[in-house]
Tab-separated table of all heavy atoms in Angstrom:
chain	number	residue	atom	x	y	z
A	165	GLY	N	-29.264	222.312	89.454
A	165	GLY	CA	-28.229	222.530	90.455
A	165	GLY	C	-27.470	223.822	90.241
A	165	GLY	O	-27.097	224.505	91.203
A	166	GLY	N	-27.230	224.177	88.983
A	166	GLY	CA	-26.558	225.430	88.687
A	166	GLY	C	-27.387	226.627	89.117
A	166	GLY	O	-26.870	227.596	89.688
A	167	ARG	N	-28.691	226.578	88.854
A	167	ARG	CA	-29.567	227.673	89.262
A	167	ARG	C	-29.602	227.809	90.787
A	167	ARG	O	-29.542	228.917	91.334
A	167	ARG	CB	-30.973	227.449	88.707
A	167	ARG	CG	-31.075	227.614	87.195
A	167	ARG	CD	-32.503	227.529	86.710
A	167	ARG	NE	-33.027	226.172	86.746
A	167	ARG	CZ	-32.891	225.287	85.759
A	167	ARG	NH1	-32.233	225.615	84.660
A	167	ARG	NH2	-33.410	224.078	85.853
A	168	VAL	N	-29.691	226.678	91.467
A	168	VAL	CA	-29.703	226.702	92.927
A	168	VAL	C	-28.403	227.297	93.461
A	168	VAL	O	-28.407	228.093	94.403
A	168	VAL	CB	-29.930	225.279	93.490
A	168	VAL	CG1	-29.666	225.228	94.989
A	168	VAL	CG2	-31.349	224.817	93.198
A	169	GLY	N	-27.281	226.922	92.849
A	169	GLY	CA	-25.990	227.432	93.301
A	169	GLY	C	-25.853	228.935	93.174
A	169	GLY	O	-25.348	229.600	94.088
A	170	PHE	N	-26.309	229.501	92.082
A	170	PHE	CA	-26.219	230.949	91.902
A	170	PHE	C	-27.202	231.682	92.810
A	170	PHE	O	-26.884	232.736	93.367
A	170	PHE	CB	-26.467	231.315	90.437
A	170	PHE	CG	-25.252	231.192	89.575
A	170	PHE	CD1	-24.911	229.975	88.991
A	170	PHE	CD2	-24.425	232.283	89.349
A	170	PHE	CE1	-23.777	229.852	88.195
A	170	PHE	CE2	-23.292	232.174	88.549
A	170	PHE	CZ	-22.963	230.950	87.974
A	171	LEU	N	-28.394	231.135	92.961
A	171	LEU	CA	-29.388	231.769	93.823
A	171	LEU	C	-29.052	231.629	95.301
A	171	LEU	O	-29.568	232.397	96.133
A	171	LEU	CB	-30.766	231.154	93.559
A	171	LEU	CG	-31.478	231.624	92.284
A	171	LEU	CD1	-32.607	230.661	91.933
A	171	LEU	CD2	-32.025	233.042	92.459
A	172	ALA	N	-28.197	230.677	95.649
A	172	ALA	CA	-27.864	230.461	97.057
A	172	ALA	C	-27.331	231.732	97.708
A	172	ALA	O	-27.599	231.995	98.887
A	172	ALA	CB	-26.847	229.332	97.186
A	173	TRP	N	-26.571	232.541	96.954
A	173	TRP	CA	-26.026	233.767	97.539
A	173	TRP	C	-27.131	234.757	97.893
A	173	TRP	O	-27.026	235.501	98.887
A	173	TRP	CB	-25.003	234.405	96.597
A	173	TRP	CG	-23.732	233.636	96.527
A	173	TRP	CD1	-23.271	232.888	95.482
A	173	TRP	CD2	-22.746	233.515	97.562
A	173	TRP	NE1	-22.060	232.309	95.798
A	173	TRP	CE2	-21.711	232.683	97.063
A	173	TRP	CE3	-22.635	234.024	98.857
A	173	TRP	CZ2	-20.592	232.359	97.828
A	173	TRP	CZ3	-21.522	233.694	99.618
A	173	TRP	CH2	-20.511	232.877	99.101
A	174	VAL	N	-28.197	234.787	97.116
A	174	VAL	CA	-29.351	235.612	97.473
A	174	VAL	C	-29.982	235.068	98.748
A	174	VAL	O	-30.323	235.834	99.680
A	174	VAL	CB	-30.387	235.631	96.331
A	174	VAL	CG1	-31.614	236.461	96.721
A	174	VAL	CG2	-29.766	236.165	95.048
A	175	THR	N	-30.140	233.765	98.815
A	175	THR	CA	-30.695	233.118	100.004
A	175	THR	C	-29.870	233.452	101.234
A	175	THR	O	-30.407	233.805	102.296
A	175	THR	CB	-30.738	231.597	99.802
A	175	THR	OG1	-31.433	231.289	98.600
A	175	THR	CG2	-31.413	230.913	100.976
A	176	TYR	N	-28.540	233.346	101.112
A	176	TYR	CA	-27.664	233.601	102.253
A	176	TYR	C	-27.740	235.058	102.697
A	176	TYR	O	-27.701	235.363	103.895
A	176	TYR	CB	-26.226	233.234	101.910
A	176	TYR	CG	-26.005	231.765	101.596
A	176	TYR	CD1	-24.845	231.329	100.966
A	176	TYR	CD2	-26.963	230.805	101.923
A	176	TYR	CE1	-24.645	229.989	100.673
A	176	TYR	CE2	-26.770	229.467	101.638
A	176	TYR	CZ	-25.610	229.061	101.013
A	176	TYR	OH	-25.414	227.736	100.732
A	177	ALA	N	-27.812	235.967	101.731
A	177	ALA	CA	-27.899	237.386	102.077
A	177	ALA	C	-29.156	237.656	102.899
A	177	ALA	O	-29.115	238.362	103.919
A	177	ALA	CB	-27.893	238.231	100.806
A	178	LEU	N	-30.276	237.089	102.470
A	178	LEU	CA	-31.528	237.311	103.184
A	178	LEU	C	-31.530	236.621	104.549
A	178	LEU	O	-31.979	237.198	105.555
A	178	LEU	CB	-32.699	236.822	102.332
A	178	LEU	CG	-32.987	237.654	101.075
A	178	LEU	CD1	-33.984	236.930	100.168
A	178	LEU	CD2	-33.517	239.038	101.449
A	179	ALA	N	-31.032	235.392	104.611
A	179	ALA	CA	-30.993	234.673	105.889
A	179	ALA	C	-30.029	235.347	106.866
A	179	ALA	O	-30.328	235.462	108.069
A	179	ALA	CB	-30.586	233.222	105.658
A	180	ALA	N	-28.888	235.802	106.375
A	180	ALA	CA	-27.921	236.468	107.243
A	180	ALA	C	-28.463	237.798	107.764
A	180	ALA	O	-28.231	238.172	108.921
A	180	ALA	CB	-26.614	236.687	106.489
A	181	TRP	N	-29.182	238.516	106.909
A	181	TRP	CA	-29.822	239.766	107.355
A	181	TRP	C	-30.897	239.468	108.398
A	181	TRP	O	-30.966	240.121	109.447
A	181	TRP	CB	-30.424	240.477	106.146
A	181	TRP	CG	-31.375	241.573	106.484
A	181	TRP	CD1	-31.085	242.783	107.058
A	181	TRP	CD2	-32.803	241.557	106.292
A	181	TRP	NE1	-32.232	243.524	107.229
A	181	TRP	CE2	-33.299	242.797	106.769
A	181	TRP	CE3	-33.693	240.632	105.761
A	181	TRP	CZ2	-34.656	243.117	106.727
A	181	TRP	CZ3	-35.040	240.933	105.722
A	181	TRP	CH2	-35.513	242.171	106.198
A	182	ARG	N	-31.723	238.475	108.145
A	182	ARG	CA	-32.756	238.071	109.107
A	182	ARG	C	-32.155	237.711	110.458
A	182	ARG	O	-32.692	238.068	111.517
A	182	ARG	CB	-33.523	236.878	108.543
A	182	ARG	CG	-34.573	236.275	109.483
A	182	ARG	CD	-34.888	234.849	109.068
A	182	ARG	NE	-33.727	233.984	109.194
A	182	ARG	CZ	-33.595	232.796	108.581
A	182	ARG	NH1	-34.539	232.367	107.773
A	182	ARG	NH2	-32.513	232.067	108.766
A	183	ASP	N	-31.010	237.005	110.436
A	183	ASP	CA	-30.381	236.526	111.664
A	183	ASP	C	-29.492	237.570	112.329
A	183	ASP	O	-28.885	237.297	113.370
A	183	ASP	CB	-29.556	235.269	111.366
A	183	ASP	CG	-30.419	234.105	110.895
A	183	ASP	OD1	-31.644	234.130	111.157
A	183	ASP	OD2	-29.874	233.185	110.250
A	184	GLY	N	-29.367	238.740	111.715
A	184	GLY	CA	-28.581	239.817	112.316
A	184	GLY	C	-27.086	239.728	112.102
A	184	GLY	O	-26.314	240.393	112.788
A	185	HIS	N	-26.647	238.927	111.127
A	185	HIS	CA	-25.210	238.773	110.879
A	185	HIS	C	-24.669	239.823	109.908
A	185	HIS	O	-23.463	240.094	109.901
A	185	HIS	CB	-24.910	237.376	110.342
A	185	HIS	CG	-25.227	236.283	111.310
A	185	HIS	ND1	-24.735	236.264	112.601
A	185	HIS	CD2	-26.005	235.170	111.186
A	185	HIS	CE1	-25.181	235.184	113.224
A	185	HIS	NE2	-25.954	234.514	112.391
A	186	ILE	N	-25.527	240.370	109.051
A	186	ILE	CA	-25.132	241.471	108.180
A	186	ILE	C	-26.247	242.514	108.202
A	186	ILE	O	-27.401	242.211	108.532
A	186	ILE	CB	-24.851	241.019	106.723
A	186	ILE	CG1	-26.117	240.428	106.078
A	186	ILE	CG2	-23.697	240.029	106.668
A	186	ILE	CD1	-25.952	240.108	104.590
A	187	SER	N	-25.899	243.730	107.852
A	187	SER	CA	-26.874	244.817	107.832
A	187	SER	C	-27.770	244.722	106.602
A	187	SER	O	-27.467	244.005	105.641
A	187	SER	CB	-26.154	246.163	107.834
A	187	SER	OG	-25.429	246.314	106.614
A	188	GLY	N	-28.858	245.484	106.632
A	188	GLY	CA	-29.722	245.550	105.454
A	188	GLY	C	-28.982	246.085	104.255
A	188	GLY	O	-29.182	245.621	103.122
A	189	GLU	N	-28.109	247.064	104.492
A	189	GLU	CA	-27.314	247.626	103.395
A	189	GLU	C	-26.410	246.573	102.768
A	189	GLU	O	-26.299	246.483	101.536
A	189	GLU	CB	-26.476	248.796	103.915
A	189	GLU	CG	-25.636	249.473	102.857
A	189	GLU	CD	-24.790	250.609	103.422
A	189	GLU	OE1	-24.872	250.856	104.634
A	189	GLU	OE2	-24.059	251.238	102.642
A	190	LYS	N	-25.766	245.749	103.619
A	190	LYS	CA	-24.896	244.688	103.099
A	190	LYS	C	-25.715	243.619	102.378
A	190	LYS	O	-25.259	243.040	101.389
A	190	LYS	CB	-24.097	244.065	104.246
A	190	LYS	CG	-23.022	244.969	104.837
A	190	LYS	CD	-21.864	245.149	103.885
A	190	LYS	CE	-20.752	246.002	104.480
A	190	LYS	NZ	-20.088	245.379	105.640
A	191	ALA	N	-26.904	243.356	102.876
A	191	ALA	CA	-27.761	242.369	102.209
A	191	ALA	C	-28.143	242.833	100.814
A	191	ALA	O	-28.095	242.058	99.845
A	191	ALA	CB	-29.010	242.107	103.048
A	192	VAL	N	-28.518	244.112	100.698
A	192	VAL	CA	-28.862	244.668	99.381
A	192	VAL	C	-27.657	244.614	98.456
A	192	VAL	O	-27.770	244.279	97.270
A	192	VAL	CB	-29.379	246.107	99.533
A	192	VAL	CG1	-29.513	246.777	98.164
A	192	VAL	CG2	-30.723	246.113	100.263
A	193	GLN	N	-26.477	244.925	99.001
A	193	GLN	CA	-25.245	244.854	98.205
A	193	GLN	C	-25.021	243.444	97.679
A	193	GLN	O	-24.716	243.239	96.496
A	193	GLN	CB	-24.056	245.272	99.072
A	193	GLN	CG	-22.688	244.999	98.464
A	193	GLN	CD	-21.559	245.255	99.458
A	193	GLN	OE1	-21.324	246.396	99.853
A	193	GLN	NE2	-20.873	244.195	99.884
A	194	ALA	N	-25.174	242.444	98.553
A	194	ALA	CA	-24.954	241.052	98.161
A	194	ALA	C	-25.975	240.600	97.124
A	194	ALA	O	-25.631	239.911	96.153
A	194	ALA	CB	-25.013	240.151	99.389
A	195	ILE	N	-27.222	240.970	97.316
A	195	ILE	CA	-28.264	240.600	96.352
A	195	ILE	C	-27.957	241.207	94.987
A	195	ILE	O	-28.157	240.569	93.948
A	195	ILE	CB	-29.644	241.048	96.864
A	195	ILE	CG1	-30.026	240.235	98.104
A	195	ILE	CG2	-30.705	240.896	95.778
A	195	ILE	CD1	-31.217	240.773	98.858
A	196	GLY	N	-27.426	242.423	94.983
A	196	GLY	CA	-27.041	243.056	93.725
A	196	GLY	C	-25.929	242.311	93.021
A	196	GLY	O	-25.986	242.087	91.798
A	197	ILE	N	-24.915	241.899	93.780
A	197	ILE	CA	-23.799	241.148	93.190
A	197	ILE	C	-24.304	239.821	92.628
A	197	ILE	O	-23.988	239.442	91.492
A	197	ILE	CB	-22.703	240.896	94.249
A	197	ILE	CG1	-22.063	242.209	94.694
A	197	ILE	CG2	-21.628	239.945	93.688
A	197	ILE	CD1	-21.149	242.062	95.903
A	198	ALA	N	-25.085	239.111	93.437
A	198	ALA	CA	-25.597	237.812	92.993
A	198	ALA	C	-26.504	237.958	91.778
A	198	ALA	O	-26.451	237.136	90.848
A	198	ALA	CB	-26.348	237.142	94.139
A	199	THR	N	-27.316	238.998	91.767
A	199	THR	CA	-28.249	239.183	90.652
A	199	THR	C	-27.518	239.488	89.357
A	199	THR	O	-27.907	239.006	88.282
A	199	THR	CB	-29.252	240.304	90.984
A	199	THR	OG1	-29.998	239.928	92.157
A	199	THR	CG2	-30.217	240.544	89.827
A	200	ARG	N	-26.457	240.245	89.418
A	200	ARG	CA	-25.680	240.514	88.195
A	200	ARG	C	-25.118	239.226	87.621
A	200	ARG	O	-25.102	239.026	86.397
A	200	ARG	CB	-24.557	241.510	88.500
A	200	ARG	CG	-25.054	242.950	88.672
A	200	ARG	CD	-23.923	243.943	88.683
A	200	ARG	NE	-23.112	243.865	89.897
A	200	ARG	CZ	-23.408	244.492	91.035
A	200	ARG	NH1	-24.506	245.235	91.131
A	200	ARG	NH2	-22.618	244.391	92.084
A	201	ARG	N	-24.677	238.333	88.473
A	201	ARG	CA	-24.181	237.040	88.000
A	201	ARG	C	-25.323	236.203	87.413
A	201	ARG	O	-25.155	235.522	86.390
A	201	ARG	CB	-23.528	236.286	89.162
A	201	ARG	CG	-22.291	236.968	89.720
A	201	ARG	CD	-21.786	236.239	90.954
A	201	ARG	NE	-20.631	236.887	91.550
A	201	ARG	CZ	-20.082	236.524	92.719
A	201	ARG	NH1	-20.603	235.513	93.390
A	201	ARG	NH2	-19.043	237.177	93.194
A	202	ILE	N	-26.470	236.247	88.059
A	202	ILE	CA	-27.628	235.485	87.578
A	202	ILE	C	-28.078	235.998	86.215
A	202	ILE	O	-28.382	235.214	85.307
A	202	ILE	CB	-28.773	235.567	88.612
A	202	ILE	CG1	-28.381	234.798	89.883
A	202	ILE	CG2	-30.072	235.024	88.040
A	202	ILE	CD1	-29.279	235.070	91.078
A	203	VAL	N	-28.118	237.313	86.058
A	203	VAL	CA	-28.500	237.893	84.763
A	203	VAL	C	-27.520	237.451	83.684
A	203	VAL	O	-27.913	237.098	82.560
A	203	VAL	CB	-28.549	239.432	84.857
A	203	VAL	CG1	-28.661	240.049	83.464
A	203	VAL	CG2	-29.718	239.874	85.726
A	204	HIS	N	-26.239	237.433	84.020
A	204	HIS	CA	-25.212	237.042	83.045
A	204	HIS	C	-25.427	235.612	82.554
A	204	HIS	O	-25.279	235.329	81.361
A	204	HIS	CB	-23.830	237.179	83.671
A	204	HIS	CG	-22.716	236.725	82.777
A	204	HIS	ND1	-22.299	237.443	81.671
A	204	HIS	CD2	-21.938	235.602	82.802
A	204	HIS	CE1	-21.322	236.798	81.066
A	204	HIS	NE2	-21.082	235.681	81.729
A	205	HIS	N	-25.789	234.704	83.479
A	205	HIS	CA	-25.885	233.289	83.119
A	205	HIS	C	-27.294	232.838	82.760
A	205	HIS	O	-27.468	231.859	82.021
A	205	HIS	CB	-25.381	232.424	84.286
A	205	HIS	CG	-23.907	232.502	84.502
A	205	HIS	ND1	-23.002	231.866	83.692
A	205	HIS	CD2	-23.176	233.153	85.442
A	205	HIS	CE1	-21.766	232.107	84.122
A	205	HIS	NE2	-21.849	232.885	85.181
A	206	PHE	N	-28.311	233.530	83.282
A	206	PHE	CA	-29.670	232.995	83.176
A	206	PHE	C	-30.683	234.002	82.644
A	206	PHE	O	-31.881	233.847	82.883
A	206	PHE	CB	-30.151	232.521	84.558
A	206	PHE	CG	-29.290	231.477	85.199
A	206	PHE	CD1	-28.410	231.818	86.210
A	206	PHE	CD2	-29.359	230.150	84.797
A	206	PHE	CE1	-27.613	230.863	86.818
A	206	PHE	CE2	-28.574	229.190	85.399
A	206	PHE	CZ	-27.692	229.537	86.407
A	207	SER	N	-30.247	234.994	81.931
A	207	SER	CA	-31.174	236.038	81.477
A	207	SER	C	-32.292	235.481	80.597
A	207	SER	O	-33.394	236.028	80.557
A	207	SER	CB	-30.422	237.141	80.725
A	207	SER	OG	-29.768	236.604	79.588
A	208	GLU	N	-32.015	234.372	79.892
A	208	GLU	CA	-33.022	233.779	79.007
A	208	GLU	C	-33.691	232.548	79.618
A	208	GLU	O	-34.465	231.871	78.949
A	208	GLU	CB	-32.365	233.387	77.677
A	208	GLU	CG	-31.663	234.526	76.942
A	208	GLU	CD	-32.626	235.657	76.596
A	208	GLU	OE1	-33.781	235.348	76.260
A	208	GLU	OE2	-32.222	236.835	76.687
């Protein structure tokens, strides 16, 4: 559940970009933020 929760922001960024709610640039920004958090908690 913890892994799903952190990855959800990546999912939302991609779905929102697909649906036209955020730009590709904003999606990349969000994926970067989410990935930094994922690396912090799940690097191993």
Side-chain angles (χ1 to χ4, degrees):
R167 290 186 287 273
V168 168
F170 277 86
L171 283 163
W173 288 109
V174 178
T175 306
Y176 297 165
L178 291 169
W181 166 69
R182 176 201 64 199
D183 296 340
H185 296 307
I186 62 173
S187 66
E189 181 181 0
K190 290 289 182 65
V192 170
Q193 169 188 293
I195 293 168
I197 294 170
T199 299
R200 285 192 289 275
R201 296 174 182 173
I202 292 167
V203 168
H204 177 73
H205 289 284
F206 302 103
S207 60
E208 303 300 323

